[in-house]
Amino acid sequence: GNGTHIITYSYTDASTGCVGIDQAVIIVWACAGIEGDEKVMILLYPNPSSGIYNITGFELGTEYKILNESGQIVAEGKTKALEARIDLSALSSGKYFFTAQLAGETLSMEMLLTK
């Protein structure tokens, strides 16, 4: 249905036991016209990361903020390409949140930083 949907998926390598986890956010909203529902896919990867994240799905110039678990802004910027790189390697390991405005809604995605 309409709204923000977070898809979390994981993969376990049978031979090594290594586990990979990632998330994708899909925003669905109703629109008038014969085309039907419009869908936008936002990808943030790799997640977890040791510091460098890629994000796709935003328009150029989209402003974003990175918040720590206390809600403090630890980084912010604007997307300069359709696929943006975000470098959090100077921050400590932990959980952070990517936030941005998309189609009038605030999008928030969890980022896990591991070192």
Side-chain angles (χ1 to χ4, degrees):
N2 291 337
T4 302
H5 306 279
I6 299 175
I7 300 170
T8 302
Y9 48 96
S10 65
Y11 171 79
T12 302
D13 187 302
S15 62
T16 64
C18 291
V19 176
I21 299 173
D22 207 350
Q23 290 183 332
V25 174
I26 298 174
I27 300 174
V28 180
W29 63 90
C31 62
I34 59 173
E35 288 84 22
D37 287 352
E38 187 172 336
K39 297 178 183 178
V40 175
M41 181 181 284
I42 306 298
L43 297 175
L44 173 70
Y45 63 94
N47 194 14
S49 171
S50 59
I52 304 295
Y53 294 86
N54 296 301
I55 188 150
T56 63
F58 285 101
E59 294 181 9
L60 296 175
T62 299
E63 295 181 4
Y64 64 85
K65 296 178 184 174
I66 309 297
L67 309 175
N68 63 17
E69 287 187 283
S70 299
Q72 298 167 316
I73 299 170
V74 295
E76 57 189 324
K78 284 185 180 183
T79 56
K80 296 177 183 170
L82 295 178
E83 181 170 323
R85 290 186 74 188
I86 300 171
D87 185 354
L88 301 183
S89 57
L91 300 176
S92 302
S93 294
K95 187 185 299 185
Y96 295 90
F97 299 92
F98 173 93
T99 63
Q101 292 288 316
L102 181 65
E105 292 187 37
T106 299
L107 170 71
S108 180
M109 298 173 69
E110 184 177 290
M111 305 170 79
L112 297 176
L113 181 59
T114 58
K115 295 189 175 189

